[in-house]
Amino acid sequence: MRRHPLLVPSALAAALALAAVPAPARPAPADLQVNVAADGAVTAAAFAAALGVRLLERDLLPVSCRWCSPGRLDAWAHRTLAWKTASRAATASDLLGVGVPLGATAALAVPDLAAGAPRRAAEDALLVAEAVSIATLGTELVKVGTDRIRPDAWDGSGPVHALDSRLSFWSGHTATAFAAVAAAGTIATLRDAPAAPWIVGGGAAAASAVGYLRLAADRHWATDVLAGAGWGTAVGILVPLLHWHPIAHVRLMPSPGGIAGEF
């Protein structure tokens, strides 16, 4: 077969032209629109309301507990997971319960500050705080409403008549830890942050450790921890999503029937 003399140069020119075409741009990350005044007010109001419920617990709780005995799962976990030195687990859970939200916030804010974006760092921290405050308020309301006895009060190893002994459901430590981690992970994912997988994975492990330590401290039943984790995760995901406004890319092009749009 005879080869046309212009075929090779033409093919080479076409290949060079295709190589010169830039690759499709990566979609821009989501835009989180934060109103500092409004979100700050929601955060402060939720924290204040949670504190108000806590101060009124003595008046809100009935004379005797409403939920006074565990089910099979809770009884088994109580026998299996509670430490003999429960006070050590309680101290560890208190420290980790504070450290996990702070660590999740720092995982977002520090890269923002390093990138020269202090406003974004403040907005991210505010969204995490907002999720934690809402999770805390919901927890306080449910604790008073369910009036569940704590494991150490049920078995007599802890204070039986203390007001706090009837605020077991659900675990506040677990709820706030998961709310902070879920919020930070969702924000990092929506912003397409390189550290997003580490925040989600590491944060989930740390928050789970908080829940386990509350069981080991004999301060919560297994269902308290599971419910707190579910509530905190739901709030932590929902708060950033309510501020999410994906950046749409629209391109108009001619079509046989007129003009078509590509999104």
Side-chain angles (χ1 to χ4, degrees), residues 3-250:
R3 182 176 297 175
H4 196 281
L6 295 178
L7 182 59
V8 174
S10 299
L12 180 60
L16 292 175
L18 290 174
V21 174
R26 188 178 184 182
D31 180 26
L32 294 176
Q33 297 185 0
V34 181
N35 185 318
V36 175
D39 288 296
V42 170
T43 302
F47 270 125
L51 179 60
V53 174
R54 174 61 66 92
L55 294 176
L56 294 173
E57 283 171 353
R58 186 173 298 277
D59 298 323
L60 296 174
L61 287 172
V63 177
S64 59
C65 64
R66 295 191 183 98
W67 194 351
C68 307
S69 59
R72 291 184 178 180
L73 171 63
D74 288 326
W76 172 83
H78 171 66
R79 293 191 305 267
T80 306
L81 300 178
W83 291 3
K84 292 182 178 180
T85 54
S87 59
R88 294 183 180 179
T91 301
S93 69
D94 289 339
L95 294 175
L96 199 58
V98 174
V100 170
L102 292 178
T105 304
L108 287 174
V110 170
D112 288 341
L113 294 173
R119 179 178 179 83
R120 187 173 64 193
E123 290 177 350
D124 290 349
L126 178 57
L127 288 182
V128 174
E130 186 172 0
V132 169
S133 68
I134 294 173
T136 301
L137 175 57
T139 297
E140 291 299 324
L141 292 173
V142 171
K143 279 178 177 290
V144 171
T146 55
D147 186 24
R148 187 181 197 185
I149 193 169
R150 292 186 185 272
D152 59 354
W154 176 75
D155 65 13
S157 63
V160 177
H161 300 292
L163 184 66
D164 185 65
S165 66
R166 290 160 48 195
L167 298 172
S168 189
F169 188 84
W170 50 62
S171 170
H173 286 65
T174 308
T176 54
F178 272 92
V181 167
T186 303
I187 293 168
T189 301
L190 293 176
R191 291 199 186 280
D192 199 22
W198 297 99
I199 294 175
V200 173
S208 298
V210 173
Y212 166 73
L213 288 171
R214 296 307 287 167
L215 294 173
D218 207 21
R219 295 295 287 164
H220 283 289
W221 306 101
T223 48
D224 298 341
V225 170
L226 293 174
W231 165 248
T233 300
V235 173
I237 292 174
L238 182 60
V239 168
L241 286 181
L242 290 176
H243 297 77
W244 178 40
H245 297 271
I247 303 172
H249 297 271
V250 182

